[in-house]
Amino acid sequence: MGTVGKKRYSIDELRAFKLAYGRSIQGEDYLINIILPAFLGGVMAHLLLHYILLTIAMTIFGGVYGYFVLFPANIKRFYERNSFEQRNKFVNNITQVMSAPSITVYVVLNDMIDLYSGEFKERLIVLVSQLSDASTDEYHEYFQQFASYYDKDVIFTQYIDILETSSVEGTNNLESLKKTTSFHNDIKKFRNMLVENKNRALKYAKAGHSLILLLILACHFRIEPITFENYLKYFSHHPIGWGVSIFYLIGVLYTMTHFMKTYFDDDVLEVDM
C-alpha cells in the first residue's frame, strides 16, 4: 500500500504499527497525510494557472502522494519512536536495579514488566515466560529471539547479550551494563536533537512556501498595476507563466521528496540489516 524507504507496507501492517502502541488509525491520520496534501496540491495549481484539469490532476497527485508516501512514513515513525522509547526506558531501568547485590536478571525482568507498554511489553512477557523454566542452553535462544526484533538497534542488542551472559554466569556485569546504557542514552539525545532540527527546517520550509502562495494570492486582487485580469492574461494563460509554474511545481516536488526522505529517517546511529 505505502512505501517507507525501500519497503512497502500494506494497510493491515500499518494498522498493526499503530495498534502496537495503543492507537488505531484515526480520521486525523487521513486528514493530515492524505486530504491536506490533496487540498494543497489543488490550491497551488489553481492559484498558479487557473486550469481546472490541472487543478484536478494536482489534487489527485497530492492525495496519491500522501497515501503512498506520507501516510505510511508518519505511521512507521510513530511506531519506531514508541519502540525506541520503550527500549531506552528498559536499559535504564534494568541497569539501575541491577546495581542491587545478589539480584538476578530473571527477577529484574519479571518484576519490571508492568513498567512497559505496547508491543515491547508483550514481547517481554513472552521472554520472561520462556526463561522461567529454561535450561542454560535455551537461554541463548530466547534472549537472541527477543533481540532479533530490534536488530537495527545494535546498542540495544549488545545490551541484551550482556544480560544473557549475566544470566548464564550468575553475575551482574554492572560496568558493562552502565557503559552500554550510556551509549543508548547518547543515541536518544542525538535523535531528539536531530528531530528538533528537522522540525525547525520543516517549519521554515512551510513558511517559505506559504509566503509564495500569499504573494500569488495577492495578485488575484486589484493592487494596481496588478489586477486579476492582467494576472490571467500575462501569467496564468501565458507561455511564460506556464514555464515558471511548471518549473516551480517540479522544484517543490523535488525538494519535498528529498527533504521527506531525510525528515522521516530517525535511525541516526542504527544499522540496516
Side-chain angles (χ1 to χ4, degrees), residues 190-223:
F190 191 79
R191 283 170 63 107
N192 290 342
M193 180 186 69
L194 191 64
V195 168
E196 183 179 338
N197 290 339
K198 288 189 290 187
N199 287 338
R200 188 180 301 114
L202 179 62
K203 181 180 179 180
Y204 292 151
K206 288 179 178 179
H209 287 299
S210 297
L211 179 60
I212 293 173
L213 288 178
L214 286 174
L215 292 174
I216 295 172
L217 183 61
C219 294
H220 289 66
F221 298 92
R222 184 174 293 276
I223 306 175

mmCIF file of all heavy atoms in Angstrom, residues 190-223:
data_model
loop_
_atom_site.group_PDB
_atom_site.id
_atom_site.type_symbol
_atom_site.label_atom_id
_atom_site.label_comp_id
_atom_site.label_asym_id
_atom_site.label_seq_id
_atom_site.Cartn_x
_atom_site.Cartn_y
_atom_site.Cartn_z
ATOM 1 N N PHE A 190 20.919 12.391 20.725
ATOM 2 C CA PHE A 190 21.225 12.786 19.350
ATOM 3 C C PHE A 190 19.988 12.713 18.471
ATOM 4 O O PHE A 190 19.742 13.594 17.630
ATOM 5 C CB PHE A 190 22.334 11.891 18.786
ATOM 6 C CG PHE A 190 22.897 12.390 17.490
ATOM 7 C CD1 PHE A 190 23.825 13.423 17.477
ATOM 8 C CD2 PHE A 190 22.495 11.836 16.288
ATOM 9 C CE1 PHE A 190 24.343 13.889 16.285
ATOM 10 C CE2 PHE A 190 23.008 12.298 15.090
ATOM 11 C CZ PHE A 190 23.938 13.321 15.081
ATOM 12 N N ARG A 191 19.183 11.679 18.646
ATOM 13 C CA ARG A 191 17.925 11.558 17.900
ATOM 14 C C ARG A 191 17.000 12.729 18.187
ATOM 15 O O ARG A 191 16.423 13.322 17.269
ATOM 16 C CB ARG A 191 17.212 10.239 18.263
ATOM 17 C CG ARG A 191 17.791 8.999 17.634
ATOM 18 C CD ARG A 191 17.179 7.761 18.261
ATOM 19 N NE ARG A 191 15.746 7.698 18.018
ATOM 20 C CZ ARG A 191 15.161 6.851 17.157
ATOM 21 N NH1 ARG A 191 15.901 6.018 16.467
ATOM 22 N NH2 ARG A 191 13.861 6.850 17.004
ATOM 23 N N ASN A 192 16.853 13.056 19.455
ATOM 24 C CA ASN A 192 15.967 14.158 19.832
ATOM 25 C C ASN A 192 16.454 15.483 19.252
ATOM 26 O O ASN A 192 15.649 16.304 18.786
ATOM 27 C CB ASN A 192 15.872 14.260 21.353
ATOM 28 C CG ASN A 192 15.109 13.101 21.967
ATOM 29 O OD1 ASN A 192 14.372 12.397 21.279
ATOM 30 N ND2 ASN A 192 15.289 12.891 23.252
ATOM 31 N N MET A 193 17.769 15.693 19.280
ATOM 32 C CA MET A 193 18.329 16.911 18.712
ATOM 33 C C MET A 193 18.097 16.968 17.202
ATOM 34 O O MET A 193 17.723 18.007 16.643
ATOM 35 C CB MET A 193 19.823 16.989 19.009
ATOM 36 C CG MET A 193 20.507 18.244 18.452
ATOM 37 S SD MET A 193 22.311 18.198 18.684
ATOM 38 C CE MET A 193 22.749 16.866 17.535
ATOM 39 N N LEU A 194 18.281 15.820 16.537
ATOM 40 C CA LEU A 194 18.096 15.765 15.089
ATOM 41 C C LEU A 194 16.639 16.006 14.715
ATOM 42 O O LEU A 194 16.338 16.747 13.768
ATOM 43 C CB LEU A 194 18.561 14.410 14.561
ATOM 44 C CG LEU A 194 18.680 14.280 13.037
ATOM 45 C CD1 LEU A 194 19.741 15.229 12.515
ATOM 46 C CD2 LEU A 194 19.005 12.849 12.646
ATOM 47 N N VAL A 195 15.716 15.393 15.466
ATOM 48 C CA VAL A 195 14.290 15.586 15.200
ATOM 49 C C VAL A 195 13.906 17.044 15.386
ATOM 50 O O VAL A 195 13.144 17.613 14.590
ATOM 51 C CB VAL A 195 13.438 14.676 16.108
ATOM 52 C CG1 VAL A 195 11.973 15.074 16.053
ATOM 53 C CG2 VAL A 195 13.602 13.214 15.701
ATOM 54 N N GLU A 196 14.445 17.652 16.436
ATOM 55 C CA GLU A 196 14.160 19.068 16.685
ATOM 56 C C GLU A 196 14.659 19.944 15.534
ATOM 57 O O GLU A 196 13.965 20.864 15.086
ATOM 58 C CB GLU A 196 14.823 19.497 17.992
ATOM 59 C CG GLU A 196 14.540 20.935 18.393
ATOM 60 C CD GLU A 196 15.187 21.317 19.713
ATOM 61 O OE1 GLU A 196 15.489 20.404 20.504
ATOM 62 O OE2 GLU A 196 15.391 22.524 19.947
ATOM 63 N N ASN A 197 15.854 19.644 15.032
ATOM 64 C CA ASN A 197 16.404 20.409 13.900
ATOM 65 C C ASN A 197 15.576 20.206 12.636
ATOM 66 O O ASN A 197 15.339 21.162 11.871
ATOM 67 C CB ASN A 197 17.857 20.004 13.647
ATOM 68 C CG ASN A 197 18.791 20.476 14.744
ATOM 69 O OD1 ASN A 197 18.479 21.409 15.479
ATOM 70 N ND2 ASN A 197 19.932 19.829 14.876
ATOM 71 N N LYS A 198 15.132 18.976 12.412
ATOM 72 C CA LYS A 198 14.328 18.703 11.208
ATOM 73 C C LYS A 198 12.959 19.358 11.310
ATOM 74 O O LYS A 198 12.428 19.855 10.308
ATOM 75 C CB LYS A 198 14.202 17.189 11.000
ATOM 76 C CG LYS A 198 15.496 16.555 10.531
ATOM 77 C CD LYS A 198 15.323 15.112 10.116
ATOM 78 C CE LYS A 198 15.048 14.200 11.259
ATOM 79 N NZ LYS A 198 15.046 12.774 10.854
ATOM 80 N N ASN A 199 12.381 19.376 12.495
ATOM 81 C CA ASN A 199 11.098 20.067 12.674
ATOM 82 C C ASN A 199 11.242 21.568 12.438
ATOM 83 O O ASN A 199 10.340 22.203 11.872
ATOM 84 C CB ASN A 199 10.550 19.804 14.073
ATOM 85 C CG ASN A 199 10.009 18.406 14.248
ATOM 86 O OD1 ASN A 199 9.653 17.740 13.269
ATOM 87 N ND2 ASN A 199 9.938 17.932 15.477
ATOM 88 N N ARG A 200 12.378 22.108 12.853
ATOM 89 C CA ARG A 200 12.623 23.531 12.627
ATOM 90 C C ARG A 200 12.780 23.811 11.124
ATOM 91 O O ARG A 200 12.241 24.803 10.600
ATOM 92 C CB ARG A 200 13.883 23.967 13.374
ATOM 93 C CG ARG A 200 14.114 25.484 13.347
ATOM 94 C CD ARG A 200 15.376 25.871 14.095
ATOM 95 N NE ARG A 200 15.326 25.447 15.488
ATOM 96 C CZ ARG A 200 16.118 24.543 16.023
ATOM 97 N NH1 ARG A 200 17.034 23.949 15.284
ATOM 98 N NH2 ARG A 200 16.013 24.216 17.297
ATOM 99 N N ALA A 201 13.497 22.932 10.426
ATOM 100 C CA ALA A 201 13.661 23.099 8.978
ATOM 101 C C ALA A 201 12.323 22.979 8.259
ATOM 102 O O ALA A 201 12.044 23.725 7.314
ATOM 103 C CB ALA A 201 14.647 22.054 8.452
ATOM 104 N N LEU A 202 11.469 22.049 8.723
ATOM 105 C CA LEU A 202 10.150 21.896 8.120
ATOM 106 C C LEU A 202 9.308 23.147 8.339
ATOM 107 O O LEU A 202 8.581 23.592 7.443
ATOM 108 C CB LEU A 202 9.442 20.679 8.715
ATOM 109 C CG LEU A 202 8.033 20.392 8.196
ATOM 110 C CD1 LEU A 202 8.057 20.109 6.703
ATOM 111 C CD2 LEU A 202 7.414 19.211 8.959
ATOM 112 N N LYS A 203 9.430 23.726 9.531
ATOM 113 C CA LYS A 203 8.699 24.957 9.844
ATOM 114 C C LYS A 203 9.115 26.086 8.904
ATOM 115 O O LYS A 203 8.276 26.824 8.372
ATOM 116 C CB LYS A 203 8.951 25.346 11.292
ATOM 117 C CG LYS A 203 8.225 26.599 11.749
ATOM 118 C CD LYS A 203 8.534 26.897 13.213
ATOM 119 C CE LYS A 203 7.837 28.174 13.674
ATOM 120 N NZ LYS A 203 8.140 28.472 15.108
ATOM 121 N N TYR A 204 10.421 26.218 8.652
ATOM 122 C CA TYR A 204 10.911 27.253 7.747
ATOM 123 C C TYR A 204 10.440 26.999 6.312
ATOM 124 O O TYR A 204 10.094 27.941 5.585
ATOM 125 C CB TYR A 204 12.440 27.315 7.787
ATOM 126 C CG TYR A 204 13.006 27.803 9.099
ATOM 127 C CD1 TYR A 204 14.258 27.385 9.557
ATOM 128 C CD2 TYR A 204 12.296 28.692 9.900
ATOM 129 C CE1 TYR A 204 14.778 27.840 10.760
ATOM 130 C CE2 TYR A 204 12.810 29.149 11.108
ATOM 131 C CZ TYR A 204 14.048 28.715 11.533
ATOM 132 O OH TYR A 204 14.555 29.164 12.730
ATOM 133 N N ALA A 205 10.447 25.722 5.902
ATOM 134 C CA ALA A 205 10.002 25.385 4.546
ATOM 135 C C ALA A 205 8.525 25.727 4.363
ATOM 136 O O ALA A 205 8.120 26.277 3.326
ATOM 137 C CB ALA A 205 10.244 23.906 4.275
ATOM 138 N N LYS A 206 7.720 25.409 5.362
ATOM 139 C CA LYS A 206 6.292 25.744 5.298
ATOM 140 C C LYS A 206 6.093 27.251 5.209
ATOM 141 O O LYS A 206 5.255 27.736 4.436
ATOM 142 C CB LYS A 206 5.573 25.199 6.530
ATOM 143 C CG LYS A 206 5.391 23.693 6.556
ATOM 144 C CD LYS A 206 4.673 23.266 7.839
ATOM 145 C CE LYS A 206 4.431 21.772 7.865
ATOM 146 N NZ LYS A 206 3.762 21.357 9.138
ATOM 147 N N ALA A 207 6.873 27.999 6.010
ATOM 148 C CA ALA A 207 6.745 29.460 5.998
ATOM 149 C C ALA A 207 7.126 30.025 4.633
ATOM 150 O O ALA A 207 6.456 30.935 4.119
ATOM 151 C CB ALA A 207 7.625 30.063 7.089
ATOM 152 N N GLY A 208 8.190 29.487 4.027
ATOM 153 C CA GLY A 208 8.623 29.966 2.719
ATOM 154 C C GLY A 208 7.580 29.731 1.646
ATOM 155 O O GLY A 208 7.261 30.631 0.852
ATOM 156 N N HIS A 209 7.037 28.518 1.598
ATOM 157 C CA HIS A 209 6.017 28.208 0.585
ATOM 158 C C HIS A 209 4.726 28.971 0.857
ATOM 159 O O HIS A 209 4.031 29.372 -0.080
ATOM 160 C CB HIS A 209 5.760 26.704 0.545
ATOM 161 C CG HIS A 209 6.866 25.920 -0.090
ATOM 162 N ND1 HIS A 209 7.253 26.109 -1.396
ATOM 163 C CD2 HIS A 209 7.679 24.949 0.401
ATOM 164 C CE1 HIS A 209 8.256 25.289 -1.686
ATOM 165 N NE2 HIS A 209 8.532 24.575 -0.619
ATOM 166 N N SER A 210 4.407 29.175 2.114
ATOM 167 C CA SER A 210 3.205 29.951 2.446
ATOM 168 C C SER A 210 3.338 31.388 1.962
ATOM 169 O O SER A 210 2.371 31.977 1.447
ATOM 170 C CB SER A 210 2.965 29.935 3.959
ATOM 171 O OG SER A 210 2.708 28.630 4.413
ATOM 172 N N LEU A 211 4.536 31.949 2.105
ATOM 173 C CA LEU A 211 4.774 33.312 1.645
ATOM 174 C C LEU A 211 4.610 33.410 0.128
ATOM 175 O O LEU A 211 3.995 34.367 -0.379
ATOM 176 C CB LEU A 211 6.181 33.760 2.054
ATOM 177 C CG LEU A 211 6.597 35.177 1.625
ATOM 178 C CD1 LEU A 211 5.640 36.208 2.220
ATOM 179 C CD2 LEU A 211 8.032 35.459 2.055
ATOM 180 N N ILE A 212 5.140 32.421 -0.591
ATOM 181 C CA ILE A 212 4.999 32.410 -2.052
ATOM 182 C C ILE A 212 3.532 32.340 -2.451
ATOM 183 O O ILE A 212 3.070 33.077 -3.337
ATOM 184 C CB ILE A 212 5.789 31.238 -2.657
ATOM 185 C CG1 ILE A 212 7.292 31.458 -2.461
ATOM 186 C CG2 ILE A 212 5.460 31.074 -4.138
ATOM 187 C CD1 ILE A 212 8.146 30.283 -2.873
ATOM 188 N N LEU A 213 2.778 31.475 -1.783
ATOM 189 C CA LEU A 213 1.354 31.342 -2.101
ATOM 190 C C LEU A 213 0.584 32.621 -1.760
ATOM 191 O O LEU A 213 -0.345 33.008 -2.477
ATOM 192 C CB LEU A 213 0.760 30.153 -1.344
ATOM 193 C CG LEU A 213 1.172 28.769 -1.852
ATOM 194 C CD1 LEU A 213 0.559 27.675 -0.977
ATOM 195 C CD2 LEU A 213 0.761 28.564 -3.309
ATOM 196 N N LEU A 214 0.970 33.297 -0.687
ATOM 197 C CA LEU A 214 0.320 34.553 -0.328
ATOM 198 C C LEU A 214 0.585 35.626 -1.380
ATOM 199 O O LEU A 214 -0.307 36.419 -1.718
ATOM 200 C CB LEU A 214 0.801 35.028 1.043
ATOM 201 C CG LEU A 214 0.250 34.264 2.247
ATOM 202 C CD1 LEU A 214 0.922 34.750 3.535
ATOM 203 C CD2 LEU A 214 -1.267 34.443 2.355
ATOM 204 N N LEU A 215 1.808 35.641 -1.915
ATOM 205 C CA LEU A 215 2.136 36.602 -2.969
ATOM 206 C C LEU A 215 1.321 36.317 -4.236
ATOM 207 O O LEU A 215 0.827 37.234 -4.899
ATOM 208 C CB LEU A 215 3.632 36.552 -3.275
ATOM 209 C CG LEU A 215 4.563 37.063 -2.176
ATOM 210 C CD1 LEU A 215 6.023 36.819 -2.544
ATOM 211 C CD2 LEU A 215 4.329 38.550 -1.934
ATOM 212 N N ILE A 216 1.192 35.040 -4.551
ATOM 213 C CA ILE A 216 0.386 34.673 -5.720
ATOM 214 C C ILE A 216 -1.077 35.035 -5.489
ATOM 215 O O ILE A 216 -1.757 35.570 -6.379
ATOM 216 C CB ILE A 216 0.526 33.160 -6.005
ATOM 217 C CG1 ILE A 216 1.967 32.828 -6.398
ATOM 218 C CG2 ILE A 216 -0.434 32.727 -7.114
ATOM 219 C CD1 ILE A 216 2.238 31.338 -6.504
ATOM 220 N N LEU A 217 -1.551 34.763 -4.265
ATOM 221 C CA LEU A 217 -2.937 35.094 -3.941
ATOM 222 C C LEU A 217 -3.177 36.600 -4.016
ATOM 223 O O LEU A 217 -4.245 37.054 -4.460
ATOM 224 C CB LEU A 217 -3.267 34.584 -2.545
ATOM 225 C CG LEU A 217 -4.699 34.778 -2.051
ATOM 226 C CD1 LEU A 217 -5.681 34.028 -2.959
ATOM 227 C CD2 LEU A 217 -4.844 34.293 -0.610
ATOM 228 N N ALA A 218 -2.181 37.384 -3.604
ATOM 229 C CA ALA A 218 -2.322 38.838 -3.649
ATOM 230 C C ALA A 218 -2.528 39.337 -5.081
ATOM 231 O O ALA A 218 -3.205 40.353 -5.298
ATOM 232 C CB ALA A 218 -1.094 39.499 -3.028
ATOM 233 N N CYS A 219 -1.954 38.626 -6.033
ATOM 234 C CA CYS A 219 -2.104 39.022 -7.433
ATOM 235 C C CYS A 219 -3.533 38.838 -7.936
ATOM 236 O O CYS A 219 -3.874 39.326 -9.017
ATOM 237 C CB CYS A 219 -1.148 38.213 -8.310
ATOM 238 S SG CYS A 219 0.607 38.539 -8.003
ATOM 239 N N HIS A 220 -4.363 38.129 -7.192
ATOM 240 C CA HIS A 220 -5.741 37.905 -7.601
ATOM 241 C C HIS A 220 -6.653 39.064 -7.183
ATOM 242 O O HIS A 220 -7.836 39.076 -7.517
ATOM 243 C CB HIS A 220 -6.263 36.598 -6.997
ATOM 244 C CG HIS A 220 -5.644 35.379 -7.604
ATOM 245 N ND1 HIS A 220 -4.310 35.074 -7.469
ATOM 246 C CD2 HIS A 220 -6.184 34.386 -8.367
ATOM 247 C CE1 HIS A 220 -4.048 33.944 -8.103
ATOM 248 N NE2 HIS A 220 -5.164 33.504 -8.661
ATOM 249 N N PHE A 221 -6.115 40.004 -6.442
ATOM 250 C CA PHE A 221 -6.901 41.165 -6.033
ATOM 251 C C PHE A 221 -6.370 42.404 -6.743
ATOM 252 O O PHE A 221 -5.235 42.437 -7.233
ATOM 253 C CB PHE A 221 -6.819 41.345 -4.507
ATOM 254 C CG PHE A 221 -7.381 40.184 -3.740
ATOM 255 C CD1 PHE A 221 -6.556 39.140 -3.333
ATOM 256 C CD2 PHE A 221 -8.734 40.124 -3.455
ATOM 257 C CE1 PHE A 221 -7.071 38.060 -2.626
ATOM 258 C CE2 PHE A 221 -9.260 39.045 -2.754
ATOM 259 C CZ PHE A 221 -8.431 38.014 -2.341
ATOM 260 N N ARG A 222 -7.194 43.415 -6.818
ATOM 261 C CA ARG A 222 -6.815 44.625 -7.543
ATOM 262 C C ARG A 222 -5.820 45.438 -6.724
ATOM 263 O O ARG A 222 -6.180 46.172 -5.818
ATOM 264 C CB ARG A 222 -8.049 45.464 -7.863
ATOM 265 C CG ARG A 222 -7.767 46.711 -8.710
ATOM 266 C CD ARG A 222 -9.049 47.405 -9.100
ATOM 267 N NE ARG A 222 -9.834 46.594 -10.010
ATOM 268 C CZ ARG A 222 -9.652 46.546 -11.322
ATOM 269 N NH1 ARG A 222 -8.702 47.274 -11.877
ATOM 270 N NH2 ARG A 222 -10.420 45.781 -12.070
ATOM 271 N N ILE A 223 -4.554 45.241 -7.049
ATOM 272 C CA ILE A 223 -3.482 46.022 -6.446
ATOM 273 C C ILE A 223 -2.709 46.641 -7.610
ATOM 274 O O ILE A 223 -1.849 46.000 -8.209
ATOM 275 C CB ILE A 223 -2.559 45.145 -5.572
ATOM 276 C CG1 ILE A 223 -3.366 44.376 -4.528
ATOM 277 C CG2 ILE A 223 -1.493 45.996 -4.893
ATOM 278 C CD1 ILE A 223 -2.545 43.402 -3.720
#
